[in-house]
Amino acid sequence: MRTSPVWSPEQYGTYADERGRPFADLVGRIHADNVKTVVDLGCGPGALTATLREAWPTATIVGLDSSPQMIEAAAQYADDHLSFGLADVREWSAPEGSLDVIVTNATLQWIPDHLDLLPGFVKALRPGGWLAIQIPGNGNAPSHAILRELAAKDPYAEFARERSLRPDVPGPADYVDVLSAEGCAVDAWETTYFHLLQGDNAVLEWVKGTGARPVLQSLPDELRKDFEAEYGARLAEAYPQRDYGTLLPFRRIFAVARKL
């Protein structure tokens, strides 16, 4: 039994266009000028971080992630202005007033009470700097509800139940409250994307790269195959494949703050 998930850049890259759209929508709301320093917290395999060079071509951009596999994959995008390194978001800090932009995309949802980290992020920004956050808000979707239900059943529960549980995530208003109290002008919103996925049992392939991966990896080999088969069958029923593809509704929560 593994004690922590080993993330797969290849599996995560399945449906990369759909996963990338919220990142682009998030960055599109950052109206920063004279950007010199950017940090992407939870950069994953680096492809989205690399797109930040288009927005700020002369800035020094650093992507950080706690997964060695993700950082190894991200290294292919490194250049004179873009670098990557290992770091745990919960322990990360930067000198006060040293950064122009902090982006954290689809990362903070894994961290309980992550609102407590935000004052430190704001402190790291210079006056006029920007903090941009996006997290999934689909914890009650069938993809997650079915996962929790199966993980709580024998013979899986001994290994998988704890790994199926996720922290409650804040809503847009929570981000407004916390970041406003830190002296920021805040723009927060939520969006439900209706992703049209191609391929067989597409939602299973989607979640195997993200939310379901810690659960699947917690199971011994002899149980993992049975769990995945049952989980996949139930997902195929909840998200039926049509002639045009499989529709996956996916709620996401955004907050963009400018330090005053």
Side-chain angles (χ1 to χ4, degrees):
M1 181 179 66
R2 294 186 176 96
T3 58
S4 61
V6 177
W7 296 103
S8 168
E10 295 78 18
Q11 186 69 45
Y12 185 81
T14 305
Y15 307 115
D17 288 346
E18 290 83 1
R19 294 192 195 279
R21 183 176 170 190
F23 185 87
D25 290 346
L26 176 70
V27 173
R29 300 290 277 271
I30 303 173
H31 304 300
D33 298 319
N34 194 29
V35 173
K36 297 179 181 177
T37 52
V38 180
V39 172
D40 183 2
L41 296 176
C43 64
L48 295 178
T49 311
T51 67
L52 298 177
R53 292 179 298 193
E54 301 170 12
W56 305 297
T58 63
T60 297
I61 302 170
V62 178
L64 300 173
D65 202 281
S66 61
S67 166
Q69 294 77 25
M70 291 296 193
I71 292 301
E72 182 179 358
Q76 65 183 299
Y77 300 105
D79 60 24
D80 291 344
H81 291 282
L82 174 61
S83 62
F84 296 91
L86 282 170
D88 188 323
V89 172
R90 296 167 295 183
E91 300 170 358
W92 173 84
S93 63
E96 183 172 351
S98 62
L99 301 174
D100 295 304
V101 176
I102 299 172
V103 177
T104 178
N105 179 69
T107 296
L108 296 182
Q109 75 276 6
W110 296 101
I111 302 173
D113 302 318
H114 72 251
L115 292 176
D116 294 341
L117 299 177
L118 302 190
F121 294 174
V122 174
K123 182 179 288 188
L125 294 172
R126 66 167 176 81
W130 292 72
L131 170 63
I133 298 165
Q134 184 274 126
I135 61 169
N138 63 335
N140 293 323
S143 56
H144 290 59
I146 294 169
L147 185 70
R148 290 192 297 268
E149 182 181 337
L150 282 180
K153 290 172 50 177
D154 290 331
Y156 312 123
E158 174 186 356
F159 307 97
R161 182 180 181 278
E162 292 299 319
R163 288 302 183 93
S164 72
L165 303 178
R166 298 286 180 269
D168 292 334
V169 299
D174 298 306
Y175 287 110
V176 173
D177 284 344
V178 171
L179 292 170
S180 295
E182 295 300 317
C184 296
V186 189
D187 178 17
W189 72 98
E190 63 179 66
T191 297
T192 298
Y193 296 87
F194 286 81
H195 297 304
L196 187 59
L197 308 181
Q198 303 302 317
D200 294 332
N201 212 338
V203 176
L204 176 63
E205 293 304 310
W206 177 288
V207 297
K208 281 167 62 177
T210 51
R213 192 167 185 85
V215 173
L216 292 171
Q217 291 202 337
S218 73
L219 293 164
D221 292 343
E222 63 270 20
L223 292 179
R224 188 180 304 122
K225 183 177 179 180
D226 292 340
F227 184 98
E228 185 173 325
E230 185 174 357
Y231 182 44
R234 292 188 60 179
L235 287 178
E237 183 178 353
Y239 300 92
Q241 184 175 353
R242 310 295 189 189
D243 291 342
Y244 51 78
T246 300
L247 197 63
L248 173 63
F250 202 116
R251 174 179 176 253
R252 294 184 182 268
I253 298 160
F254 300 78
V256 174
R258 180 173 60 86
K259 185 176 180 178
L260 300 176

